[in-house]
Amino acid sequence: MELTNNLPKGPNTPRSLRLMKFIFQPIKYLDDYAKAYGDTFTIQGSQGTPIVYFSKPQDLQTIFTADSSQLDAGRGNSGLEFLMGENSLLLLDGDRHQRQRQMLTPPFHGERMRAYGQIISEIAEQVMNQWTVGKPFNIRASMQEITLRVILRVVFGLDEGSRLEQLRSLIGSTLDLMTSRFNSSAFFFEFLKQDLGDWSPWGRMLRQIKQIDELIYAQIAERRAEANPNRQDILSLMMSARDEAGQPMTDVELRDELMTLLVAGHETTASALTWALYWVDQLPQVREKLLAELDSIDADSDPSVITKLPYLTAVCSETLRIYPIAANTFVRVVRSPIEISGYKLPPGTVIVPSIYLAHHREETFPQPKQFKPERFLERQFSPYEYLPFGGGNRRCIGMAFAMYEMKLVLATIVSHFQVSLVNKRPVIPVRRGLTLAAPEGMKMVATPRLKKLVNTPVSV
């Protein structure tokens, strides 16, 4: 008997209306379709391409463990090439993806990563010192400042100088342009990608990316000329890495991976920290438990001690569960027919493993709309149930570093200040480029705490 292709049911809404909801109401888009069609549903993409959403753990396991000959992942991210370059880990498949991943993984794990702990805490304190007590400030902007300084210090090895300041300014303005409503929409409407010169948003963004490229290549050239084997920044470690054939990364490959780290490691962690502070403020009982745990350790504890605290870890994990920074993992494109949960998907089908929907399954996370860190103390979840950093061989290589940074920054801030929303109304995520984030204008007020985690005085 000949097998026939079949697809899950899905909405018949006109694509233009669907896209508007996808762009401007990303959470409602997923919640409504999951309520109507369940764990798996199909929407029609451009030119009739089927796009199938999956969120059941057993389906995600099938997708994440599928042979690379069946599914492509890099091909589904081609829309990011203008920013990250064709050599970015996110855009590669097969042997090239495996090569880059093996060369990039070591700097983000083990003792090397822990060596950055003091730097992260110091940067968080430096930014906190800029807050004025009682004066509302943009919390996301502060978190972006922290994560950008961490990236430039830890990845690029830049502590000061004109190149540091230029990169800080250009990266901030470029990401603001990229995540504006106009340019966010351009990810989904090709006709908006018009380079009409500096006065057009897309054209201005492309020119700023070119300026960032020039600074990155200058930093690579300077580091090659310096040839200091004792440097521990990630750029230096990347430059010393060799593949199985003994070959290093080229300057272009280094540039593309550095740009990927800048975008993926800066924006995402800033969003996660913003949400964490929001939930700690919204739920006094969470804040009290967190402070009790932080106050139970010595004021001058090593960063590695802080990042192992169970309730702090649970708060960060629940933050990434309830509103994951990416609603979905990177899509997979079917290369050869694959069967998932009884559905036989033909080549060309786009598979969307949904992080948000997986994180909001009642069977896995009872009362999923409630923020409950305790669920991460009560049981351990499989990588097919809880997947804030994606899954399979596409899982974010910076996952351990991102969690390490998030825990240290949150602990440092909460130990020094009570940070409270100016407007106490509940906040829901909005689209920020390809990610979900708290509204950009969200304001908070900082009030000093008497007991501090570290002995460094904080000026206000």
Side-chain angles (χ1 to χ4, degrees):
M1 178 178 172
E2 184 179 349
L3 295 177
T4 57
N5 298 318
N6 63 328
L7 296 168
K9 293 180 180 179
N12 295 317
T13 313
R15 183 169 181 268
S16 58
L17 295 179
R18 242 190 316 103
L19 270 176
M20 294 303 288
K21 187 173 183 178
F22 178 78
I23 294 169
F24 296 108
Q25 295 180 300
I27 293 296
K28 184 171 172 55
Y29 174 93
L30 291 169
D31 280 340
D32 287 354
Y33 288 155
K35 184 177 180 180
Y37 301 102
D39 293 303
T40 308
F41 54 88
T42 304
I43 65 171
Q44 294 301 315
S46 60
Q47 301 176 337
T49 300
I51 302 173
V52 186
Y53 282 72
F54 290 95
S55 57
K56 283 195 298 187
Q58 55 267 44
D59 294 347
L60 298 179
Q61 182 172 5
T62 300
I63 294 166
F64 294 153
T65 58
D67 190 271
S68 59
S69 65
Q70 288 185 290
L71 303 176
D72 277 340
R75 181 155 56 110
N77 301 321
S78 58
L80 294 172
E81 186 175 335
F82 78 95
L83 175 66
M84 297 179 181
E86 63 179 14
N87 301 289
S88 168
L89 190 66
L90 303 183
L91 277 71
L92 298 177
D93 282 304
D95 291 343
R96 290 188 67 203
H97 174 263
Q98 186 65 20
R99 171 188 182 266
Q100 291 293 89
R101 192 172 184 89
Q102 288 175 346
M103 296 178 78
L104 287 168
T105 298
F108 291 97
H109 293 82
E111 291 300 323
R112 285 173 171 170
M113 185 186 74
R114 285 190 285 273
Y116 305 133
Q118 196 59 44
I119 295 173
I120 293 169
S121 298
E122 288 172 1
I123 289 172
E125 289 187 24
Q126 289 166 9
V127 173
M128 288 191 312
N129 286 344
Q130 299 171 3
W131 297 344
T132 301
V133 172
K135 182 178 179 180
F137 64 96
N138 186 310
I139 185 63
R140 181 183 177 81
S142 276
M143 296 306 100
Q144 284 179 298
E145 179 67 14
I146 290 172
T147 59
L148 182 54
R149 287 191 190 187
V150 169
I151 285 282
L152 292 176
R153 179 88 175 268
V154 169
V155 175
F156 285 80
L158 289 169
D159 296 328
E160 57 185 12
S162 61
R163 190 174 298 146
L164 170 67
E165 295 306 319
Q166 286 178 281
L167 274 170
R168 278 177 59 188
S169 175
L170 278 169
I171 291 166
S173 61
T174 301
L175 288 175
D176 285 342
L177 276 170
M178 190 175 77
T179 55
S180 69
R181 287 204 167 187
F182 179 89
N183 284 331
S184 289
S185 300
F187 285 109
F188 313 106
F189 297 104
E190 284 293 325
F191 69 88
L192 294 177
K193 295 180 180 178
Q194 298 294 322
D195 182 359
L196 303 176
D198 284 342
W199 65 271
S200 64
W202 192 261
R204 189 159 62 252
M205 183 175 64
L206 293 179
R207 281 155 181 76
Q208 289 191 354
I209 292 170
K210 187 176 180 181
Q211 290 178 277
I212 293 173
D213 285 351
E214 292 171 356
L215 292 169
I216 290 177
Y217 281 121
Q219 184 68 11
I220 292 171
E222 184 177 289
R223 194 58 51 78
R224 286 203 190 280
E226 182 182 300
N228 181 354
N230 297 318
R231 292 194 67 104
Q232 291 299 303
D233 56 85
I234 289 173
L235 171 57
S236 296
L237 298 174
M238 286 167 58
M239 292 176 70
S240 65
R242 298 293 183 271
D243 62 18
E244 292 180 351
Q247 296 300 309
M249 281 190 248
T250 66
D251 285 3
V252 175
E253 287 173 331
L254 286 168
R255 175 269 171 207
D256 291 355
E257 300 301 359
L258 287 170
M259 184 65 86
T260 302
L261 291 174
L262 276 171
V263 176
H266 160 46
E267 275 282 296
T268 53
T269 309
S271 290
L273 283 165
T274 302
W275 280 122
L277 291 168
Y278 165 80
W279 288 114
V280 169
D281 175 51
Q282 287 286 104
L283 302 170
Q285 70 275 22
V286 171
R287 182 173 181 272
E288 289 167 9
K289 288 182 182 179
L290 183 57
L291 286 173
E293 183 178 70
L294 292 170
D295 289 345
S296 71
I297 61 175
D298 292 337
D300 56 353
S301 292
D302 185 88
S304 63
V305 173
I306 299 169
T307 57
K308 290 176 183 174
L309 293 171
Y311 196 72
L312 172 64
T313 300
V315 168
C316 292
S317 297
E318 179 71 343
T319 296
L320 293 170
R321 180 202 68 82
I322 194 165
Y323 290 146
I325 305 309
N328 310 304
T329 73
F330 290 120
V331 304
R332 272 68 169 172
V333 181
V334 177
R335 294 183 64 186
S336 60
I338 185 171
E339 182 175 334
I340 304 175
S341 214
Y343 297 106
K344 303 171 184 67
L345 309 181
T349 302
V350 175
I351 292 174
V352 182
S354 179
I355 300 173
Y356 175 82
L357 293 180
H359 287 187
H360 283 256
R361 299 185 77 249
E362 184 76 35
E363 296 90 335
T364 310
F365 300 99
Q367 299 177 300
K369 303 299 182 188
Q370 293 188 17
F371 187 89
K372 297 172 63 177
E374 289 74 17
R375 67 175 92 239
F376 286 91
L377 301 176
E378 295 164 357
R379 62 160 288 194
Q380 195 166 17
F381 298 95
S382 81
Y384 312 113
E385 295 172 316
Y386 179 69
L387 52 150
F389 295 95
N393 67 351
R394 314 303 299 200
R395 189 165 64 171
C396 174
I397 61 167
M399 175 181 69
F401 182 81
M403 282 296 288
Y404 188 77
E405 178 184 2
M406 185 180 176
K407 286 187 274 189
L408 281 180
V409 174
L410 180 62
T412 303
I413 292 174
V414 171
S415 297
H416 285 91
F417 287 101
Q418 179 169 350
V419 185
S420 305
L421 275 178
V422 173
N423 188 328
K424 291 294 184 181
R425 290 181 303 192
V427 172
I428 60 172
V430 298
R431 180 169 298 286
R432 185 173 169 86
L434 297 175
T435 65
L436 302 179
E440 190 171 352
M442 194 168 87
K443 296 291 182 73
M444 301 189 92
V445 173
T447 305
R449 272 194 86 218
L450 293 178
K451 183 175 179 62
K452 298 182 177 67
L453 183 65
V454 293
N455 292 325
T456 306
V458 177
S459 62
V460 294

